Amino acid sequence: MLRKLKNGSMDRKVDILAIGAHPDDVELAAGGTIIKSVQQGKKVAIVDLTQGELGSRGTIETRYDEAATAAKIMGVIHRENLKMADGFFEATEENLLKLITAIRKYQPEIVLANAPEDRHPDHGRGSQLISRACFLSGLLKIETESDGEKQKHWRPKVVYFYIQDRYLKPDFVVDVTEQRDLKFDSILAYKTQFYQENMSGPKTPISGQEFLDSLEGRLIQYGRDIGVKYGEGFITERPVGINDITKFL
């Protein structure tokens, strides 16, 4: 439930804001971590940069329906789409301000962002755009508004990059063994994109059963690195600080 503030605006502050270039990016790479965080009582929101309109399968309308279903499965409190141009978005002032406005609206402590490099060029560009917007969001002299109200500056404490199609060595791995099934439920909510029995339409690199098998293998690979069954890997922008060296798996 959103809490109404004294000035009449809604309090949308979250613990974690997961941002992806396309609907389904966060489910594929960080869905288990999002689900686990929600189960731990944390508030999570998702921002999709584009509508995935250049995808070979499905439509803008089906992607919105699928994204809403996936968000419900994961338990996130809000999801929005910034409608940047799929395949063509750049770190323009307009796009940066769109994302800065969203970051200030949700005031996350942690931002999850696209992989720094990947097979799809939107992922690397999205990663850079998100990192830059998180920094700029903390600058007092950049003015933005939401719901007719001037926003306060806000800079997330950390940005963690999830790992997507290409293998990248993670800086840390989250144990998502208990969240594995719900993660795949959220992925399979995208019925036009991922393998379903008797599905029709053009074959794509992600529409076959082999793609889902590769996701399973990646989870197992990262899980093995930390001694659990399934894991999701992340890359950090800067060293992660801890105050108890014994708090490790």
Side-chain angles (χ1 to χ4, degrees), residues 70-82:
K72 185 175 181 180
I73 291 170
M74 291 187 291
V76 304
I77 64 170
H78 194 74
R79 185 171 203 159
E80 68 172 286
N81 196 298
L82 299 186

Side-chain angles (χ1 to χ4, degrees), residues 184-198:
F184 273 87
D185 287 346
S186 72
I187 292 168
L188 294 177
Y190 292 88
K191 295 181 179 180
T192 63
Q193 303 301 307
F194 304 111
Y195 180 75
Q196 318 276 334
E197 289 188 15
N198 303 316

